[in-house]
Amino acid sequence: MFDEVITGFRVARGGAQERYGVVPDLTILGKIVGGGLPLAAFGGRAEIMSRLAPVGDVYQAGTLSGNPLATAAGVSVLRRLRDPAIYDELERRGARLEAGLAPYGLVQRVGAMLTLFLTGTDPFRVVTRMQRLETERYAALFRHLLAEGIYVAPSQYECLFPSLAHGDEEIDATIAAVSSFAG
Ligand SMILES: Cc1ncc(COP(=O)(O)O)c(C=O)c1O
């Protein structure tokens, strides 16, 4: 079962399963599938899906299931994502942010999804040091970035997600703000 709530339509139009060539039995989707409105979906092999109501014997329903507004927003975004140039652009923006942040710590990136750990560039040392140091340092970075007008997730363990709404100007401003904290 693949949880593609974050990776779905983000690391490739077909999600992590397309990028890594895996065909899961079931896939869970959220976020982008609703085009900004609250929507989630799951799907998978016919033999599993045919077990669900109304065809099968496993009951599944919800008040807002298939909500027309959310599904219309989702369909509209998914149509836009048919353009492969969008993924090239997301890759470029992710790479730009990665290159700009790399001098300040360990950056791990897949497409337009990345994490930043400020405690050095060796992944093994980062893990052990992180447990002791990183939480407070990250909290200070979070507050610094917020004061600079940049809102990242308030947890070290969340990713940074540059999107099509983030142009080079926003990416460079983010790099400059991290630099003024850690540089
Ligand atoms: C990977 C992943 N799976 C599942 C969820 C849960 O999604 P929801 O908040 O819609 O229940 C999240 C939420 O951000 C997530 O990041």
Side-chain angles (χ1 to χ4, degrees):
M1 190 185 297
F2 263 34
D3 178 338
E4 296 239 40
V5 167
I6 287 181
T7 52
F9 312 107
R10 192 189 304 275
V11 299
R13 189 162 185 272
Q17 56 198 268
E18 176 186 310
R19 195 152 180 144
Y20 298 112
V22 179
V23 181
D25 295 328
L26 275 177
T27 300
I28 319 298
L29 297 163
K31 303 192 195 295
I32 298 171
V33 80
L37 291 183
L39 186 70
F42 67 95
R45 294 207 327 256
E47 80 180 269
I48 299 172
M49 297 307 288
S50 64
R51 292 289 306 273
L52 297 177
V55 180
D57 56 343
V58 179
Y59 187 68
Q60 191 279 327
T63 308
L64 296 177
S65 291
N67 178 265
L69 183 61
T71 47
V75 166
S76 168
V77 166
L78 300 190
R79 280 204 186 107
R80 272 198 73 192
L81 295 180
R82 280 187 188 142
D83 178 0
I86 286 178
Y87 288 95
D88 293 344
E89 186 55 25
L90 285 172
E91 185 72 35
R92 192 191 67 76
R93 292 180 195 199
R96 186 182 182 98
L97 187 57
E98 177 185 22
L101 296 179
Y104 308 107
L106 175 70
V107 182
Q108 292 172 305
R109 179 178 74 86
V110 179
M113 241 180 104
L114 53 144
T115 54
L116 169 67
F117 292 99
L118 296 172
T119 45
T121 52
D122 175 347
F124 296 103
R125 289 200 65 204
V126 165
V127 169
T128 50
R129 292 191 61 190
M130 202 171 69
Q131 285 155 0
R132 285 181 289 128
L133 299 175
E134 187 70 1
T135 311
E136 276 177 30
R137 186 121 196 265
Y138 186 83
L141 172 68
F142 173 82
R143 285 191 291 271
H144 173 80
L145 292 180
L146 202 55
E148 299 278 321
I150 296 161
Y151 185 30
V152 295
S155 161
Q156 171 70 86
Y157 300 101
E158 288 277 3
C159 296
L160 299 168
F161 302 113
S163 73
L164 295 179
H166 299 108
D168 288 350
E169 198 181 319
E170 286 78 20
I171 290 171
D172 292 349
T174 306
I175 295 165
V178 172
S179 163
S180 66
F181 176 82

